[in-house]
Amino acid sequence: MMFLNKPKSFFVITTLLLLLTTSGWSATIIVDRANDSGNGFCTLRQAVLSANFNLALAGCAAGDDNIVDDVLIDVAGPIILTQGEIPVFGAISIYTNSGQSVRIQAASDSRIFNVNSPDANDNDFFINNLSLTDGNVGIDNGGAILIRDAGDVTIKNSAFINNNAENGGAIYCSSCLVNEMTLTSNQFVDNGATTSGGAFYGQNILYGGALDINRNQFKDNFAQFGGAIYLRESSETITLFANKFTGNIASDSGGGVYLAGLSGGQTYEMDSNLFYKNQAADLGGAIRLFTSSTRLNLINSTFSHNDAAYGGGISNGSGNLQVSASTFVYNFAQNAGANLHSTAQGINAVEHSIVAHPVNKTNCNTGNVSFGSIGANVSDDSSCGFNEPSDTLGDPHLTGMVEVQERFGYYPTVYSPALDNSHVIVCRDSSSAPILVDQFSTPRDMDGDGNGTGECDAGAIEAFPNTDLIFYDSFGVAD
């Protein structure tokens, strides 16, 4: 035979190499049935339990200890749950075979996943390409997913539709131990919370890590506070980037997002987000910033057609609001501050931004409220008190709302005073770092006014040379 003359050491080395190359690989558990029970087959519930217990249950392979087990859904769906929520207490990654979304429908009066994984060596939770629908937990929290304890949490390319709860209509995580949490490229549609966070509720959710909410769509979600998102955090790294908030409603405050801070204070970084047609009955049609321990650093974002009693765009209740290179237009206030509203206790600093075309009330609420200008703003009324030499009082001459690769905003046209507005002050964020790209990821040094030198425009969108005024007040402005 081939190995008869090989020394004993050859077999020892070969065995060791085999062990080294196979150790550390996660188990793959294949879901081959769309129903919620059945011996001899591997349903989603049985697959997750096999991963939890590291045992082969029903027709499923066994999971491995202290490693992320892969649960591969190899059915077209829908998977309709009939036995209540699925508990998760081990490290698991759930995804689909085809890369296409598979719908998982919650059982009656139940959520879909309850994540409670206290083992620090076996507690990551990942999902990809799932559609989680129709969860309803009444006065409990987390209509689709309740997170109590986990390591790294990643939810991507998934949809959350028509889930309901007291708090966190789709996802709830409060006082839970999470290392890192990422929500990326998901859709949250028609989710609701009786109290807070129509789509997502987070309070004191992190354990030394970061929360990254990026490239998601939040549409037609509703709650009393925070129609789409409610966050109340302390001393964590929290970033919201390139999300779209459209048509979300708060019966009280924060039609799109409600941001607060715990006693340790919290800074929120928001870059390149769109807020369009969100509503709040009271404060902050798009965003409500609350408590003196809360700071919002906002850049490259567009606020349009949002609606509230106070602050159609943003209402600041004693927080610290820092606005750079953003656009507030066509927002509505019933009582005060169509685009920006603040109490006298609020800190507000605005630069390189456009605040214009208010509906029903002036751009900013007046009185003893200060909206401090750092310079290079364009506003079409004097209500915000922008009085730096580089500020402009007048019509910003914008296009209608335009779309570029599924991002939406308003360009300054050839007649706009917002064009190349950095000759006096550099376009920068709240840390004084230069802002290099705009909301569309276009470089910030376009030569919009055609004078041979490219400089940052005021507002969220950097204009190309000779942007035509034909789009002015049309193509979406009144949509």
Side-chain angles (χ1 to χ4, degrees), residues 37-118:
S37 62
N39 291 328
F41 304 114
C42 187
T43 67
L44 176 61
R45 183 180 302 276
Q46 292 161 337
V48 173
L49 290 176
S50 295
N52 289 338
F53 290 112
N54 300 317
L55 296 172
L57 302 176
C60 301
D64 285 336
D65 196 18
N66 296 336
I67 200 164
V68 178
D69 295 317
D70 292 330
V71 171
L72 172 60
I73 299 178
D74 195 24
V75 294
I79 296 174
I80 300 176
L81 303 181
T82 58
Q83 302 179 60
E85 68 187 26
I86 298 177
V88 177
F89 48 87
I92 193 169
S93 176
I94 306 173
Y95 58 98
T96 64
N97 187 29
S98 62
Q100 299 298 314
S101 178
V102 171
R103 183 166 74 90
I104 304 173
Q105 179 179 313
S108 178
D109 298 323
S110 180
R111 68 176 61 88
I112 295 174
F113 295 115
N114 186 334
V115 182
N116 188 12
S117 305

Side-chain angles (χ1 to χ4, degrees), residues 347-369:
I347 299 171
N348 307 279
V350 185
E351 68 173 293
H352 260 102
S353 293
I354 296 171
V355 184
H357 304 310
V359 181
N360 197 54
K361 297 296 179 181
T362 56
N363 282 311
C364 299
N365 59 303
T366 56
N368 60 347
V369 177

